[in-house]
């Protein structure tokens, strides 16, 4: 029997090892821990591209970024590309939170009710959109007596992310989203099926919030590969980012362990803040008597290096940036663990399977339902990840660079480091190849023996046949999905 409802919760920039289900016993996430015990937990879930807009396009459509056209941040998802709510009928649909797929505060793509939290994307609105329109969160804060702190040249001011993060927790974005969802759920007709997406900005930067003091920086865990910064055998982009973040980040001295510990403690606090909001959301679902008839998904759009290899944020192909938590609770499906690697491109076909009804739209992923119901053999297909040029990265890291970065290469070579359209394959056997078509700085890792990617094996004796096989797999995937960049056309 198909489930009647879908509640899809996802965060922004949350690495997998921040949850108890992935081995973290230090961060307090009681609500997500409980959800994990009721869900199928995917040990290795990979994003399609480790940056916001491209990854989100995959999560909503079941297509790779090179297919949706959302290959870098702030590219609108084209109207002709269907999201899951546009592929089904008979549902009340809603979106809560950060969208980052164009026209941020306006309902679109089959989502009828729209509750928005971000006003910083005004300059990216489509022609004809009213740039004086503000998010529902903006109006909620105004009603509570707050005044926007960031003036705008042509229209009312907005609340900056920095100001919102400094508010009391009950007025921060996670609590607001939990409030709006609970109210929306209570007001909808009880016999109406629903699909609701909730996206938290947290634990995304600015990496501070009302729970900064929840964790003692002296007691946080530094990543196992903290003292393995990018070296000569790693891609130039990672080395540029390493030197960039050594200069510091928003007052944090990231050239010292103490600075990193303070930043990581803040990040942990944001994860716990999200957990509290998730608890309120799940409580509302249970109070409405809908928990037993609702699919619940929890994941993130990409990870965060947060000190691994002494890097921060995303945009690289390291495991901490490309792997995310994935919990799926489906009525009637026993909880368990899936150890096989999966991709978020598989989410839309999986949800189609459980919601029922014919699938008539093109997707590039495959349903995970056989894995979840233990009907599929252990052999699994490869996972593919892509990187496409990100203009903001070019601006941030290749213009007016400090001497430490300038020494790494000419301006043209530094730009090439960020333009290099890396394509990655991760095999069921644990091999990972990052193919670098411009700089030819390829990387090969054995994730079973070297899960923290400390040793690049590319070019070592005895790996030639393996590399050739992995390159063939990449070309086959590129041909199947018509990735023109990877095919060189």
């Amino acid at each position: 029997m198909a489930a009647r409802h879908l509640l899809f919760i996802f965060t922004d920039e949350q690495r997998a090892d921040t949850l108890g289900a992935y081995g973290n016993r230090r961060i307090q996430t009681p609500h997500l821990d409980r959800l994990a015990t009721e869900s199928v937990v995917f040990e290795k879930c990979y994003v399609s591209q480790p940056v916001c807009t491209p990854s989100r396009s995959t999560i909503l459509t079941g297509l790779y970024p090179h297919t949706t056209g959302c290959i870098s941040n702030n590219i609108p998802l084209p109207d002709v590309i269907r999201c899951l709510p546009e592929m089904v009928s008979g549902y009340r649909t809603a979106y809560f939170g950060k969208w980052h797929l164009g026209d941020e505060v306006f309902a679109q793509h089959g989502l009828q009710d729209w509750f928005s939290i971000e006003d910083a994307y005004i300059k990216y609105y489509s022609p004809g959109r009213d740039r004086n329109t503000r998010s529902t969160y903006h109006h909620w804060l105004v009603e509570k007596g707050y005044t926007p702190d960031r003036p705008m040249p042509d229209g009312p001011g907005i609340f900056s992310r920095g100001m919102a993060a400094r508010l009391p927790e009950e007025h921060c974005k996670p609590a607001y989203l939990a409030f709006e969802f609970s109210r929306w759920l209570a007001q909808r007709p009880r016999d109406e099926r629903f699909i609701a997406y909730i996206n938290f900005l947290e634990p995304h930067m600015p990496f501070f919030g009302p729970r900064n003091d929840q964790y003692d920086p002296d007691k946080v865990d530094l990543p196992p590969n903290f003292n393995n910064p990018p070296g000569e055998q790693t891609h130039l982009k990672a080395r540029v980012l390493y030197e960039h973040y050594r200069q510091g980040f928003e007052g944090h001295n990231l050239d010292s362990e103490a600075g990193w510990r303070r930043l990581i403690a803040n990040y942990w606090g944001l994860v716990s803040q999200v957990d509290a909001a998730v608890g309120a959301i799940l409580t509302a679902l249970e109070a409405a008597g809908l928990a037993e008839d609702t699919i619940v998904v929890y994941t993130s759009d990409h990870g965060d290096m947060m000190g691994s290899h002494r890097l921060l944020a995303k945009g690289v192909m390291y495991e901490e940036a490309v792997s995310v938590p994935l919990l799926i609770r489906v009525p009637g499906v026993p909880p368990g663990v899936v150890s096989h690697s999966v991709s978020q491109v598989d989410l839309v076909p999986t949800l189609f399977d459980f919601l029922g009804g014919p699938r008539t739209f093109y997707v590039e992923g495959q349903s995970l339902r056989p894995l979840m119901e233990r009907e599929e053999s252990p052999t699994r297909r490869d996972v593919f990840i892509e990187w496409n040029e990100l203009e903001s990265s070019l601006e941030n890291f290749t213009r007016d660079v400090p001497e430490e970065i300038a020494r790494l290469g000419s301006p043209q070579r530094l730009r090439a480091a960020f333009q290099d359209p890396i394509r990655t394959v991760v095999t069921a056997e644990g091999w990972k190849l990052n193919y670098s078509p411009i700089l030819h700085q390829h990387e090969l890792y054995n994730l079973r023996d070297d899960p923290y990617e400390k040793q690049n094996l590319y070019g070592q004796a005895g790996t030639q046949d393996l590399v050739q096989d992995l390159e063939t797999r990449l070309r086959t995937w590129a041909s199947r999905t018509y990735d023109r960049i990877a095919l060189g056309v």
Side-chain angles (χ1 to χ4, degrees), residues 164-403:
R166 289 183 171 90
L167 297 177
E169 184 167 348
E170 62 269 22
H171 295 160
C172 286
K173 293 174 181 178
Y176 167 73
L177 293 177
F179 165 78
E180 287 288 23
F181 173 76
S182 301
R183 184 169 65 169
W184 177 83
L185 192 67
Q187 293 175 347
R188 53 168 290 281
R190 291 191 59 83
D191 60 346
E192 187 177 49
R193 294 186 298 172
F194 75 81
I195 292 175
Y197 287 83
I198 304 175
N199 179 241
F200 298 103
L201 171 66
E202 294 78 6
H204 186 282
M205 55 194 67
F207 299 139
F208 60 81
R211 296 188 178 218
N212 282 356
D213 296 328
Q214 183 169 350
Y215 299 100
D216 183 349
D218 292 334
K219 296 180 180 179
V220 304
D221 300 320
L222 293 175
N225 48 9
F226 177 76
N227 286 317
N228 298 94
E232 291 296 325
Q233 298 303 311
T234 54
H235 194 275
L236 177 59
K237 179 169 66 173
R239 285 179 276 155
V240 170
L241 292 172
Y242 168 63
E243 294 294 348
H244 172 78
Y245 287 118
R246 284 183 65 189
Q247 312 303 313
F249 177 81
E250 295 189 355
H252 295 276
N253 177 9
L254 299 188
D255 205 22
S256 72
E257 283 196 11
W260 276 110
R261 289 181 185 276
R262 176 68 268 174
L263 189 64
I264 294 170
N266 289 5
Y267 184 75
W268 285 13
L270 292 169
V271 172
S272 290
Q273 184 182 359
V274 167
D275 179 78
V278 170
I281 289 166
L282 296 179
T283 296
L285 190 69
E286 292 167 0
L290 300 173
E292 298 302 319
D293 205 14
T294 302
I295 299 168
V296 178
V297 180
Y298 184 87
T299 189
S300 190
D301 63 348
H302 51 75
D304 190 295
M305 297 304 293
M306 198 51 62
S308 293
H309 301 285
R310 298 209 180 199
L311 296 175
L312 189 66
K314 58 274 189 181
V316 290
M317 294 308 201
Y318 284 121
E319 290 290 287
E320 295 84 2
V322 298
S323 58
V324 291
L326 176 59
L327 316 176
I328 304 181
R329 187 178 77 184
V330 179
V333 176
V337 176
V338 171
S339 59
H340 310 302
S341 297
V342 301
S343 170
Q344 286 186 334
V345 78
D346 301 325
L347 286 173
V348 165
T350 300
L351 297 175
F352 250 122
D353 251 6
F354 284 116
L355 290 172
R359 192 179 77 196
T360 58
F361 296 93
Y362 171 70
V363 293
E364 292 171 325
Q366 299 182 39
S367 175
L368 301 174
R369 183 171 184 173
L371 272 179
M372 296 176 64
E373 295 181 337
R374 285 68 163 177
E375 296 176 358
E376 186 166 316
S377 65
T379 302
R380 284 291 290 161
R381 62 196 180 283
D382 301 328
V383 170
F384 299 92
I385 311 164
E386 61 188 75
W387 176 259
N388 301 283
E389 178 182 341
L390 188 63
E391 287 295 337
S392 61
S393 292
L394 294 172
E395 296 171 2
N396 291 340
F397 305 121
T398 63
R399 184 180 62 189
D400 300 326
V401 298
E403 181 181 350

Side-chain angles (χ1 to χ4, degrees), residues 81-122:
I81 302 292
R82 299 292 185 103
C83 292
L84 174 62
E86 297 174 282
M87 303 176 188
V88 296
S89 58
Y91 290 86
R92 188 70 189 179
T93 59
Y95 195 91
F96 302 79
K98 179 183 175 183
W99 173 247
H100 211 179
L101 289 167
D103 294 339
E104 185 73 19
V105 300
F106 302 96
Q108 55 190 287
H109 282 283
L111 292 150
Q112 299 156 317
D113 301 320
W114 198 266
F115 302 88
S116 50
I117 60 174
E118 296 296 316
D119 290 296
Y121 301 117
I122 293 173

